[in-house]
Amino acid sequence: MSDPTIVMSLPIQIAVVQHNPKVGAVSGNCAQIIEGYSQAASAGAELVVTPELALLGYPPRDLLHRQSVIKAERAALNELQCATEDGPALIAGHTADSTRESGPPLMNSATAFVDGEATVRYDKRLLPTYDIFDEHRYFSRGNKPQTVVIDGVTVGITICEDAWYDHEVTGQQRHGTDPVAAYDDVDLLVNLSASPYRVNKPSSRITRFGNHAQNTSTPVVFANQVGGNDDILFDGTSVILDAVGATVTSAPVGKPHVLFNSSNVGSRESVVPPETTQLRRMLEVGIRDYLHKTGFKDVVIGLSGGIDSSVTAALAAEAIGPEHVYGITLPSAVTADENRTDAEHVARNLEIQFGEEEIESLSKTAIESIAGLTEGEATRSITRENVQARVRGLLLMGVANDSDALVLTPDNKSEAAVGYCTLYGDAVGAVAPLGDCTKRRVYALAESFNSDPPQWIDSAPIPDSILEKAPTAELAEGQTDEDEIPPYDAVDSVVRQYVDNKNSVEEIINETDATREQIKTVVQRLTRSEFKREQTPPALRVTTKAFDSGWRYPIAASYAEVIGSDSMNQS
């Protein structure tokens, strides 16, 4: 990359409306865009750019099959067009009727409005259909580049995947066409995006679009959506780059923002927050938007005195305010006094609401009832253990119902991978903030909170005793997680290689420090736990492959060929 302290001038004053849309809330999304457009006009912008599908929000999924939604979007698009009669040009993302004789009836498009007229429409040429994306289900593909002239400046238009024809997520080139290469003689290139977040994605995007700028010798504008929509997070981090790929200015991570180049010409390249800081910020965006976009204000969390529930509580308190978080500890006869005390300390440190209720009597009644239904046979140990978790789930959901709140599930990706959770027990809830974070990442988040506490407290919220103790589900006396599953360092390594990197078992054996037996245990448990993951809450997506909308494995299937039975010495 070029020297970031040397920034070339741009041919036009540009603004990006990095807004946080609610999927399907067309009128509200339109109002956000118009407000940002007005700010840009007041600042002297000559061109304003929105993200992809800005009026509908991304991903709209099967709302695209509802004509009432499409009709509302068309009306809002006319509203945007009228707004440009006495203002700067606007390039806005939206759906449009397909121009093809066959295939899906819509196109993913962008229209340039100049002086109140729709001058040019561009249709997205590369449609992603992998991982969380399913655009061929809804859209027909565009087939040509498109430019618009604004104040004598020729602007080339692209939409999201058009700039990722060799998409790094899949590890291979997905498309045979490079739409960016078609713009070898323009003055400015814009990309309207709804580009999801993953750890360190903001930095990789700046590199990618910087390379596009260098390869075309053209300034580049990347306009991205921000906010959480269900399990998918969008970091924003819109950026304006000059013709040699140096950053002119960029928008913040995880916040709505109107980005101008006019007030930032000559600025140094912006600093993207460190990995754990940006992860913490985006998980909080996901919690906050999940609540607000579903009409809730408060959450309930079962505090066990362990690392996962403590970090979940800290994220929630910082995301929506401690007054909206209710932490509840539910000890049984096997709960250590230290864990009950640690749970209370976390709640007091975070200044959230706190409650406690013993579950022994309820658990005993349930176990006796189960034994009565099985002809008086002794209840299995796994049944006794799971009853405790399910009684806790029952109480947490009851409190949430009574308080008009949502339960946050504290389970992490490592546990989800090996099925180390109890259905209808600790896995109850509306959303799993840590569901795509390995155990190591959970500890990193805890250390982040302790080194940089939430602004309303001045000390570390998570006690050292929690950081130092052995993780435990504590459903039996003296139980630790390593009694049931391999150490988390081994689990995390296998999950990263097998799930995120799609490596084979033999490759994992060669590339990790995990033993053959540990790898065998993790992969076998992972494949056998699919039925659990199908029934657990959505996990906020922060990696290239989460156990959610982008993970599509069958429940009832043979995995012998996938696992490699010979290499694993399976019986």
Side-chain angles (χ1 to χ4, degrees):
M1 295 292 290
S2 60
D3 183 349
T5 64
I6 302 173
V7 179
M8 300 174 64
S9 62
L10 300 183
I12 196 170
Q13 301 300 320
I14 305 159
V16 173
V17 178
Q18 176 176 293
H19 74 315
N20 183 350
K22 180 178 180 180
V23 172
V26 176
S27 59
N29 299 337
C30 183
Q32 288 185 43
I33 295 168
I34 289 176
E35 180 181 355
Y37 176 86
S38 298
Q39 291 181 36
S42 298
E46 298 166 281
L47 169 63
V48 182
V49 185
T50 79
E52 176 182 17
L53 296 183
L55 289 167
L56 281 177
Y58 197 97
R61 296 186 171 128
D62 281 5
L63 283 180
L64 292 170
H65 295 157
R66 297 291 176 180
Q67 286 304 308
S68 59
V69 174
I70 301 302
K71 183 178 179 180
E73 187 199 29
R74 299 289 188 270
L77 198 61
N78 289 334
E79 206 176 326
L80 294 183
Q81 178 175 340
C82 292
T84 66
E85 290 179 356
D86 299 310
L90 171 68
I91 300 178
H94 59 93
T95 69
D97 293 333
S98 175
T99 57
R100 293 178 175 267
E101 294 182 358
S102 62
L106 296 173
M107 302 188 97
N108 186 341
S109 304
T111 294
F113 298 108
V114 182
D115 297 329
E117 298 292 332
T119 58
V120 162
R121 189 185 106 189
Y122 171 80
D123 301 317
K124 188 174 182 178
R125 298 178 65 187
L126 304 185
L127 302 180
T129 302
Y130 53 84
D131 196 54
I132 62 170
F133 303 106
D134 198 11
E135 291 200 20
H136 281 97
R137 176 183 175 93
Y138 307 106
F139 300 118
S140 291
R141 184 173 60 86
N143 57 12
K144 61 181 180 180
Q146 192 62 264
T147 62
V148 60
V149 177
I150 299 170
D151 294 338
V153 174
T154 302
V155 181
I157 305 171
T158 61
I159 299 176
C160 206
E161 184 80 1
D162 293 332
W164 298 84
Y165 70 99
D166 56 344
H167 204 295
E168 63 184 23
V169 169
T170 63
Q172 63 183 8
Q173 185 167 318
R174 300 287 304 186
H175 310 284
T177 302
D178 177 7
V180 173
Y183 297 110
D184 58 357
D185 191 26
V186 297
D187 302 310
L188 179 69
L189 182 65
V190 300
N191 182 271
L192 291 72
S193 279
S195 179
Y197 169 78
R198 61 171 169 77
V199 171
N200 289 329
K201 183 75 170 287
S203 296
S204 68
R205 274 202 227 96
I206 289 174
T207 299
R208 170 163 291 267
F209 284 93
N211 288 337
H212 285 319
Q214 289 181 329
N215 292 338
T216 59
S217 298
T218 305
V220 173
V221 176
F222 167 73
N224 197 25
Q225 175 179 299
V226 71
N229 284 330
D230 298 346
D231 57 309
I232 306 174
L233 308 180
F234 298 89
D235 56 281
T237 325
S238 301
V239 63
I240 299 173
L241 303 150
D242 69 12
V244 295
T247 297
V248 176
T249 184
S250 67
V253 173
K255 296 179 180 179
H257 187 77
V258 179
L259 180 68
F260 306 97
N261 80 293
S262 56
S263 58
N264 291 280
V265 172
S267 65
R268 290 179 177 270
E269 190 161 352
S270 63
V271 177
V272 174
E275 176 181 311
T276 304
T277 301
Q278 84 181 226
L279 173 63
R280 174 176 163 183
R281 185 179 301 173
M282 289 308 301
L283 290 174
E284 289 166 3
V285 167
I287 293 170
R288 184 166 51 249
D289 279 0
Y290 193 98
L291 261 70
H292 293 173
K293 292 179 181 181
T294 55
F296 289 86
K297 296 180 180 179
D298 303 313
V299 298
V300 175
I301 301 170
L303 292 179
S304 67
I307 189 72
D308 301 307
S309 61
S310 300
V311 171
T312 301
L315 288 167
E318 194 163 56
I320 59 177
E323 68 276 14
H324 294 291
V325 181
Y326 189 9
I328 302 174
T329 191
L330 301 164
S332 72
V334 299
T335 301
D337 289 341
E338 177 191 38
N339 289 333
R340 193 213 67 78
T341 302
D342 282 344
E344 183 174 6
H345 284 168
V346 168
R348 302 302 180 212
N349 292 347
L350 290 170
E351 300 180 11
I352 64 176
Q353 301 174 71
F354 180 70
E356 178 177 351
E357 185 69 33
E358 65 85 18
I359 64 166
E360 190 60 29
S361 58
L362 280 173
S363 298
K364 184 177 180 181
T365 299
I367 290 168
E368 289 174 349
S369 297
I370 293 168
L373 293 169
T374 53
E375 299 179 356
E377 296 179 7
T379 307
R380 297 172 63 200
S381 59
I382 190 171
T383 306
R384 293 194 300 271
E385 291 180 16
N386 285 347
V387 161
Q388 295 174 62
R390 290 183 177 126
V391 166
R392 290 185 174 116
L394 171 69
L395 294 176
L396 293 174
M397 288 301 298
V399 171
N401 292 159
D402 212 39
S403 307
D404 195 25
L406 294 179
V407 175
L408 296 188
T409 307
D411 293 351
N412 61 62
K413 188 174 189 175
S414 305
E415 293 168 349
V418 295
Y420 200 58
C421 62
T422 303
L423 280 178
Y424 329 118
D426 57 298
V428 303
V431 66
L434 300 176
D436 197 25
C437 294
T438 59
K439 199 75 168 183
R440 275 183 280 192
R441 278 218 165 105
V442 177
Y443 277 99
L445 286 164
E447 292 167 3
S448 172
F449 275 106
N450 282 354
S451 61
D452 182 19
Q455 61 181 4
W456 67 91
I457 58 178
D458 55 10
S459 61
I462 300 175
D464 289 341
S465 55
I466 291 178
L467 298 172
E468 295 166 0
K469 74 176 68 171
T472 174
E474 203 174 27
L475 299 176
E477 190 168 356
Q479 182 185 60
T480 67
D481 291 358
E482 288 189 25
D483 296 336
E484 309 287 337
I485 60 175
Y488 279 112
D489 281 350
V491 174
D492 290 358
S493 295
V494 176
V495 168
R496 186 177 66 253
Q497 294 290 334
Y498 186 81
V499 177
D500 295 7
N501 298 345
K502 309 181 189 69
N503 286 351
S504 69
V505 168
E506 281 301 325
E507 288 172 328
I508 298 171
I509 291 171
N510 295 330
E511 295 180 17
T512 72
D513 294 330
T515 67
R516 182 178 291 269
E517 188 61 32
Q518 288 170 341
I519 296 169
K520 173 182 177 179
T521 299
V522 173
V523 175
Q524 285 180 336
R525 290 191 63 135
L526 193 152
T527 56
R528 293 170 181 170
S529 300
E530 196 61 43
F531 77 100
K532 286 190 175 184
R533 291 189 290 269
E534 285 283 336
Q535 300 179 71
T536 53
L540 297 182
R541 180 183 186 270
V542 297
T543 70
T544 57
K545 183 61 67 175
F547 290 127
D548 216 319
S549 53
W551 178 264
R552 302 181 185 182
Y553 279 76
I555 295 172
S558 170
Y559 286 93
E561 288 78 12
V562 175
I563 297 173
S565 56
D566 292 340
S567 67
M568 302 306 292
N569 297 321
Q570 291 176 300
S571 58

